[in-house]
Amino acid sequence: MSTAASQGTNPASPEPATSAESAVGQEFEVTVGPVAHGGHCVARSEAGQVLFVRHTLPGERVIARVTEGDVGARFLRADAVTILDPSKDRIEAPCPFSGPGRCGGCDWQHAKPGAQRRLKADVLTEQLARLAGLTPEDVSWDGTVEPVPGDKVPAGEVPAWRTRVQYAIDAEGRAGFRRHRSHEVEPVGHCLIASEGVSELGIERRTWPQTASIDAIAASGSTDRQVIVTPTSGGRLPLVELDRPVSVLRAEEQRGRGGESRTVHRVHGRPFVRERADGRTWRVGAGGFWQVHAAAADLLVDAVMRGLTPRKGETALDLYCGVGLFAGALADRVGERGAVLGIESSKRAVEDARHNLADFPRVRVEQGRVERVLPRTGITEADIVVLDPPRSGAGRATVELLASMGPRRIAYVACDPAALARDLAYFAASAYHPRFLRAFDLFPMTHHLECVAILEPAAKGS
């Protein structure tokens, strides 16, 4: 029953809002249904109320305890706290900090590695169908999420793949990670998915007074290590004593017109790390974007170039180009008679991209939002395009603009299956259809995956 606020005595005053009754802590015995996007599965209470349940697997019978939501709400969020009938794909979570109410970083620690990839494939299939009306056959996808070479490990083991880790620091100065949908910090003794280069920094083995968060970076293509320390509000940069020599930088939060913007100040060491991919070394400035899996950059470049099949003399676009990874790969393949335009919104990333691509005279990198900069360039045609947007996707306007330029192929690199599906629907409306799609398990133990879709004009793809 909802609890109503007491009525005021002034008849002219507005009626107070009714406060909803929280359902947090209620428990339901449920049979778990299919996996959903976001690291949980769908179940229903006996009354038909939808529950999004974490720490469970399809087909299991569990006791689900509500963690978020009100009585009578359209849906509730819950954790499986007791497993009554386990799935054959269930294992004991290898990480001691995983489980209901614990670290929110990994969604599938309790699932066998092969089962994790099947769950991700199910999510991608569902998103393609629901948001784009596409089947795996429509996009020439074999329905599998491919493991990264070297990541296939037996059940109960965890690949240490993550080269960039952001730690939250609790009130006692202990390093850890946020709990799911919470600001509370779960201190950890050791993160199993952190790469050896991150672990050897010893972030978890010391305390961090006056510190809000720490970014630990271990470059996969060099011995460069970097730690970015964000002090608490008004705090000072703590004395940093790590287990090996490392660049240390201080991050400050400064409020600008657009909201909070992060500014990084060099303390000592290089203000960048050197990554290695596609036979080249790439400078990545402090806080700049680079794939977090050590093998991801090479794997994605290979998938994109195989899909686009660049030809000598072609004109290519690399949109949301970051520090220039795909632009460099394109420039190398289209040759001296070809040309490449990269567009990136981050000023620091553009500086890095121009540095990284300085030996390619036919490469141009512009700074700004793609949908604003591209029309101003005067370019009305392109042969091939790499589209690597943020998690929110490219959007209808950008898709329509690209389709109007008539490229023979577009490579869409996506880190979110819902955004990919939405944009594929926009491409279909502009007569571009997928030639094929590949999905990669670049984020083991989590619900995330990466996709590469190659698109062509519909007449060619038919």
Side-chain angles (χ1 to χ4, degrees), residues 11-284:
S13 64
E15 185 172 296
T18 301
S19 59
E21 181 182 351
S22 172
V24 173
Q26 290 188 6
E27 294 185 351
F28 300 89
E29 181 178 329
V30 296
T31 298
V32 178
V35 64
H37 183 30
H40 47 251
C41 297
V42 181
R44 287 185 180 272
S45 68
E46 288 186 358
Q49 192 169 24
V50 173
L51 283 77
F52 293 135
V53 188
R54 286 172 56 83
H55 309 291
T56 187
L57 295 170
E60 292 188 326
R61 189 166 57 88
V62 305
I63 301 296
R65 180 180 298 153
V66 176
T67 58
E68 187 178 332
D70 296 326
V71 173
R74 187 167 58 89
F75 66 87
L76 302 172
R77 299 185 185 274
D79 285 339
V81 294
T82 304
I83 311 302
L84 302 174
D85 187 9
S87 165
K88 61 181 178 58
D89 289 324
R90 174 174 286 276
I91 59 172
E92 183 176 352
C95 177
F97 308 103
S98 175
R102 306 294 301 277
C103 173
C106 291
D107 310 287
W108 301 121
Q109 286 270 353
H110 58 285
K112 294 177 181 177
Q116 294 181 34
R117 292 189 287 273
R118 291 193 297 273
L119 291 168
K120 296 181 187 189
D122 289 346
V123 169
L124 178 54
T125 299
E126 189 271 337
Q127 294 292 298
L128 289 172
R130 185 169 64 87
L131 298 176
L134 295 170
T135 67
E137 292 76 18
D138 292 330
V139 297
S140 297
W141 172 48
D142 64 5
T144 66
V145 174
E146 304 172 38
V148 177
D151 276 2
K152 293 191 74 171
V153 296
E157 296 185 18
V158 178
W161 56 269
R162 193 174 184 100
T163 61
R164 292 166 177 255
V165 178
Q166 184 176 66
Y167 295 91
I169 309 300
D170 72 4
E172 298 178 31
R174 298 173 298 180
F177 303 100
R178 303 286 181 191
R179 292 168 183 151
H180 182 62
R181 295 177 63 83
S182 170
H183 292 294
E184 295 184 7
V185 177
E186 176 74 18
V188 302
H190 173 59
C191 177
L192 294 182
I193 66 172
S195 70
E196 181 180 352
V198 169
S199 295
E200 70 183 7
L201 294 174
I203 302 294
E204 303 110 325
R205 294 191 287 273
R206 58 152 294 168
T207 56
W208 297 87
Q210 300 186 74
T211 303
S213 66
I214 297 172
D215 292 61
I217 300 168
S220 54
S222 69
T223 58
D224 292 350
R225 303 291 182 263
Q226 189 178 81
V227 171
I228 303 174
V229 181
T230 303
T232 55
S233 179
R236 302 178 61 186
L237 181 68
L239 178 65
V240 178
E241 297 177 353
L242 294 167
D243 294 357
R244 57 155 293 159
V246 64
S247 297
V248 179
L249 301 101
R250 171 193 172 104
E252 293 179 347
E253 299 294 341
Q254 297 183 347
R255 183 176 296 277
R257 291 185 178 180
E260 295 297 322
S261 61
R262 198 167 188 236
T263 303
V264 177
H265 303 279
R266 179 179 177 183
V267 176
H268 65 77
R270 291 191 185 94
F272 59 85
V273 295
R274 296 163 298 177
E275 300 281 359
R276 189 79 182 165
D278 196 38
R280 297 174 61 85
T281 297
W282 306 87
R283 187 182 82 180
V284 184

